[in-house]
Amino acid sequence: MGRQWLLAKREVASLKKSKSTGKFVREITIAARQGGADPENNARLFAALEKARAESVSKDVIERAINKGAGIGGEKAVIDHIVFEGYAPHKVPLIVEVYTDNTNRTTPEIRVLFRDGQLGAPGSNKFLFDHVGLVEAWKENAGDLEEAAIEAGANEVEPLSHDQNDDIPADKTGARFITDRTATAAVTTWLKSNGWNVVTSEIGYVAKNFPTLTDEQRAEAGEFLQALEEHDDVHRVWTAIK
């Protein structure tokens, strides 16, 4: 039984790593398609590469993803971007971003997940979110976060811990800079030039209001959100839960 359990554990770990690698590859491909193959001039690609390398994604896999996204070498990525709007249990609004090479497969699967979530149902709720640029980073000695945000050109900043983003080292100061979508690259560049380690640079959604939930309600909503995030084609789940 011991060896069988160990084998099963290794298979689960291998499957999780495979899914994780697939998401990294997809993010690199999309970033290269949208902003080009040069990470120095593509903040989103730079952040995606940092994450992939930290998870030991091979150099060959990374290069193929970049070339596919940028259309280098004759192979061009064919990926559709789909946005689903709806609610998690207890009327928690959410937005689900999906990137897929097979819309006919992915769309029904996401709809099934919404049904399985029972209270989760598609609906128009983008007005409940601000569409912004998000840059998450950490620094050895960050100093005054508000001052850093002003100098970087961000509109807002909030502290970010390892528990909120596991790319932030547990013993370092992290921050989430919120900016206009068009200023995302400029803010990222300033942070990189001033000693910050950028771990995320992207366009996303921030909820305007957050519903009050009990611990039990938060757990139920969390299970639903986890099921969504585990789908291979789901890129980001934005929700009104702090």
Side-chain angles (χ1 to χ4, degrees), residues 80-159:
D80 292 319
H81 179 213
I82 309 171
V83 178
F84 294 89
E85 304 168 53
Y87 294 86
H90 308 293
K91 290 297 181 180
V92 177
L94 58 84
I95 294 174
V96 183
E97 284 192 277
V98 169
Y99 286 101
T100 178
D101 57 2
N102 188 336
T103 303
N104 292 332
R105 179 200 68 229
T106 301
T107 298
E109 290 177 353
I110 297 298
R111 286 176 177 162
V112 166
L113 288 175
F114 268 104
R115 286 203 301 271
D116 288 347
Q118 295 181 10
L119 293 180
S124 179
N125 59 14
K126 276 188 181 177
F127 68 95
L128 298 172
F129 294 81
D130 289 321
H131 197 194
V132 296
L134 299 169
V135 185
E136 297 180 350
W138 63 272
K139 189 177 182 181
E140 189 76 33
N141 298 301
D144 189 327
L145 295 183
E146 292 286 349
E147 183 178 340
I150 292 171
E151 293 187 17
N155 299 331
E156 300 176 49
V157 64
E158 54 191 38

Side-chain angles (χ1 to χ4, degrees), residues 13-230:
S14 177
L15 179 60
K16 286 184 176 180
K17 183 174 182 180
S18 176
K19 286 187 175 182
S20 178
T21 298
K23 286 182 181 282
F24 287 132
V25 168
R26 190 177 296 111
E27 170 65 7
I28 291 169
T29 301
I30 292 161
R33 186 181 72 171
Q34 294 181 345
D38 182 2
E40 293 302 318
N41 296 311
N42 184 342
R44 180 171 179 175
L45 178 59
F46 177 88
L49 293 177
E50 290 293 295
K51 285 187 177 182
R53 288 165 181 156
E55 294 298 323
S56 301
V57 178
S58 72
K59 182 178 178 181
D60 288 345
V61 170
I62 289 174
E63 288 182 353
R64 284 199 301 271
I66 293 174
N67 291 342
K68 186 175 181 179
I72 298 172
E75 187 178 9
K76 193 171 183 179
V78 180
I79 302 177
D80 292 319
H81 179 213
I82 309 171
V83 178
F84 294 89
E85 304 168 53
Y87 294 86
H90 308 293
K91 290 297 181 180
V92 177
L94 58 84
I95 294 174
V96 183
E97 284 192 277
V98 169
Y99 286 101
T100 178
D101 57 2
N102 188 336
T103 303
N104 292 332
R105 179 200 68 229
T106 301
T107 298
E109 290 177 353
I110 297 298
R111 286 176 177 162
V112 166
L113 288 175
F114 268 104
R115 286 203 301 271
D116 288 347
Q118 295 181 10
L119 293 180
S124 179
N125 59 14
K126 276 188 181 177
F127 68 95
L128 298 172
F129 294 81
D130 289 321
H131 197 194
V132 296
L134 299 169
V135 185
E136 297 180 350
W138 63 272
K139 189 177 182 181
E140 189 76 33
N141 298 301
D144 189 327
L145 295 183
E146 292 286 349
E147 183 178 340
I150 292 171
E151 293 187 17
N155 299 331
E156 300 176 49
V157 64
E158 54 191 38
L160 197 65
S161 69
H162 176 75
D163 290 338
Q164 295 168 299
N165 184 334
D166 56 16
D167 290 320
I168 306 292
D171 60 341
K172 298 296 186 291
T173 299
R176 187 189 206 199
F177 298 86
I178 303 173
T179 185
D180 294 338
R181 298 193 300 276
T182 55
T184 305
V187 170
T188 302
T189 299
W190 186 92
L191 291 170
K192 287 166 53 182
S193 300
N194 286 272
W196 288 82
N197 297 275
V198 175
V199 297
T200 299
S201 177
E202 62 186 348
I203 306 299
Y205 296 88
V206 174
K208 296 177 181 178
N209 297 291
F210 296 85
T212 301
L213 301 174
T214 65
D215 289 343
E216 183 179 353
Q217 290 172 334
R218 185 184 299 273
E220 290 174 357
E223 289 179 5
F224 174 75
L225 297 173
Q226 185 65 35
L228 286 173
E229 289 187 340
E230 287 180 352

